[in-house]
Amino acid sequence: MRRKAALALAAAAVVAGSVAPVAATAGTHSARPAASKTSFGIRHVFVIVLENEDYSATYVSNPNPYLGKVLKQQGTLLSDYYGVGHQSNDNYLAMVSGQAPNPMTQDDCPDYVDFEPSPAVFASNGQAVGTGCVYPSNVLTLPDQLAASHLTWHGYMEDMGNTITREPAHCGAPTSSAGTGMPDGTQTATATDQYAARHNPFVYFHSLIDSGACHANVVPLYRLSHDLESYSTTPNFSFISPNLCDDGHDAPCKGKDAQGSTAGGLVSIDHFLSTWVPRIESSAAFQKDGLLLIVTDEAAFQSDASACCNEQPGPDSPMPGVYGAGGGRTGALAIGHCVAGGRTDSTPYNHYSLLRSMEDIFGIRVGGSDGKGHLGMAGASGVTSFGTDLFAGCAKKG
């Protein structure tokens, strides 16, 4: 697969004092009550994250029938959905925290090192000032918000724990027995373990690691089949990361995909989705009040650094897209409750919009820095939630 060359980001190190931080406690407000009903009546959200394809390849010229044709007819295509950075890791972190790329997350965090300074101090839009990979415990996440509102969540990671000397079967922190400060041994796949920690955003936040929430809630993908068996066992929020073959990152793959192929790319993406999407769609939770979002982390090439929604870089950091403002146009697909099939929605959205939408759908307001409870860049000017343009099938509730 087209893997981008390592970035020479040393020159972009943090310039101390160039951004005036606010108090270290910013972004750690007390919890506000959860809304009694979710917006649009949605109670279960499933997010599947794919890798390194642009909008045209995935949704216009894709010759593979399941994603390119079948699923498009089931849902609404968000044609102007964008990644927020290059490479992968910064996009995943943005989806669950609203933190913009910093010099190390923008380089895919090859070393599993703590963010400095700690505790974090914050600039505008709730952005932690500094650089590093594993954020201090006062940088909160969507799972922190969910838990504070008594809602459930799980991260489902394919292949996690296959080789326990690389990563454990719960949480999935690389070299976790040695703590932070070590090289990430999951940066490349093996024939039997294609898990990548950089595609598991939950392992980069001490708020989840130190509390035990990461260990309890981030589990191997096969657990999803059991959890889907009943409405009560299905988490309110499910974040699904395929392995480096099934997410399309590698082509050819070092191992095999969901149907025994080593093709990778869009072929293996189709194999994965045709295996797991029917299982999700047949579950009681999805059928009653579920929403499935299929998103891609970034466009295929760094030359596509297009962005939307007035995206801004974080403090003392390079441009999020290296050569421009964003991670490129990827498109996204929404299927489920209140979502019409066979439609295209051209409203501009990005990964910060996804986070803001989860906060609004679930009615959670914990730890936001914008005065309304949104985390990080999810509360920035120009970022909007999915609205009646997408959920045209029912009136807004909550």
Side-chain angles (χ1 to χ4, degrees):
M1 186 88 178
R2 307 167 296 276
R3 191 59 197 150
K4 295 169 284 294
L7 302 177
L9 290 175
V14 173
V15 180
S18 63
V19 173
V22 296
T25 54
T28 56
H29 307 310
S30 59
R32 303 182 193 179
S36 59
K37 294 182 179 180
T38 59
S39 295
F40 304 103
I42 296 166
R43 292 292 298 175
H44 294 86
V45 178
F46 306 85
V47 177
I48 299 176
V49 186
L50 309 177
E51 278 281 314
N52 296 12
E53 296 289 354
D54 59 33
Y55 170 77
S56 179
T58 304
Y59 296 109
V60 178
S61 60
N62 188 351
N64 300 282
Y66 193 67
L67 177 57
K69 295 180 181 179
V70 174
L71 292 183
K72 279 175 63 177
Q73 290 304 308
Q74 293 183 13
T76 294
L77 176 61
L78 302 177
S79 60
D80 281 7
Y81 188 102
Y82 293 81
V84 301
H86 291 296
Q87 299 186 19
S88 294
N89 186 243
D90 47 3
N91 288 287
Y92 286 77
L93 302 186
M95 293 181 209
V96 301
S97 72
Q99 291 298 312
N102 71 59
M104 295 197 69
T105 63
Q106 196 176 44
D107 200 24
D108 261 352
C109 283
D111 296 317
Y112 186 64
V113 297
D114 280 333
F115 184 97
E116 295 292 344
S118 179
V121 294
F122 297 88
S124 60
N125 292 317
Q127 297 301 292
V129 180
T131 190
C133 297
V134 189
Y135 283 88
S137 58
N138 64 327
V139 177
L140 299 184
T141 67
L142 176 63
D144 292 307
Q145 293 177 309
L146 290 165
S149 297
H150 308 291
L151 297 170
T152 55
W153 68 277
H154 269 5
Y156 296 98
M157 307 292 149
E158 188 175 22
D159 279 7
M160 187 177 70
N162 280 12
T163 305
I164 59 173
T165 55
R166 284 168 34 108
E167 79 282 334
H170 285 257
C171 193
T175 62
S176 60
S177 61
T180 58
M182 301 293 290
D184 176 5
T186 72
Q187 287 281 317
T188 58
T190 71
T192 57
D193 190 349
Q194 301 179 86
Y195 164 80
R198 64 188 184 277
H199 299 169
N200 171 5
F202 311 111
V203 79
Y204 294 94
F205 296 93
H206 277 292
S207 66
L208 303 177
I209 299 168
D210 299 351
S211 67
C214 184
H215 181 85
N217 290 284
V218 181
V219 297
L221 176 63
Y222 69 81
R223 287 276 301 274
L224 178 58
S225 291
H226 172 268
D227 293 346
L228 291 172
E229 289 178 357
S230 73
Y231 185 90
S232 63
T233 58
T234 304
N236 297 110
F237 178 75
S238 297
F239 188 98
I240 301 164
S241 283
N243 66 28
L244 286 169
C245 187
D246 286 330
D247 66 9
H249 183 281
D250 291 354
C253 306
K254 289 190 177 180
K256 295 181 178 180
D257 69 14
Q259 294 186 14
S261 170
T262 59
L266 287 165
V267 172
S268 291
I269 284 174
D270 236 41
H271 291 171
F272 179 87
L273 294 176
S274 63
T275 298
W276 283 98
V277 170
R279 298 179 188 180
I280 293 170
E281 291 182 333
S282 63
S283 69
F286 180 85
Q287 292 187 7
K288 183 175 181 180
D289 50 32
L291 173 68
L292 170 63
L293 297 169
I294 299 172
V295 303
T296 302
D297 69 330
E298 58 175 320
F301 300 104
Q302 286 183 353
S303 57
D304 183 359
S306 56
C308 78
C309 316
N310 192 36
E311 183 178 351
Q312 301 294 317
D316 300 320
S317 292
M319 292 295 286
V322 183
Y323 300 111
R329 184 185 180 206
T330 62
L333 189 63
I335 302 170
H337 191 69
C338 300
V339 178
R343 290 184 63 248
T344 297
D345 179 358
S346 61
T347 306
Y349 292 121
N350 61 15
H351 295 326
Y352 300 132
S353 305
L354 186 151
L355 172 59
R356 184 184 180 104
S357 298
M358 296 304 98
E359 294 173 314
D360 288 347
I361 282 172
F362 289 116
I364 49 181
R365 293 291 185 273
V366 181
S369 59
D370 67 342
K372 298 180 181 179
H374 295 295
L375 291 177
M377 291 292 187
S381 174
V383 176
T384 59
S385 298
F386 305 150
T388 53
D389 60 299
L390 175 60
F391 302 117
C394 63
K396 185 174 180 180
K397 303 177 182 178

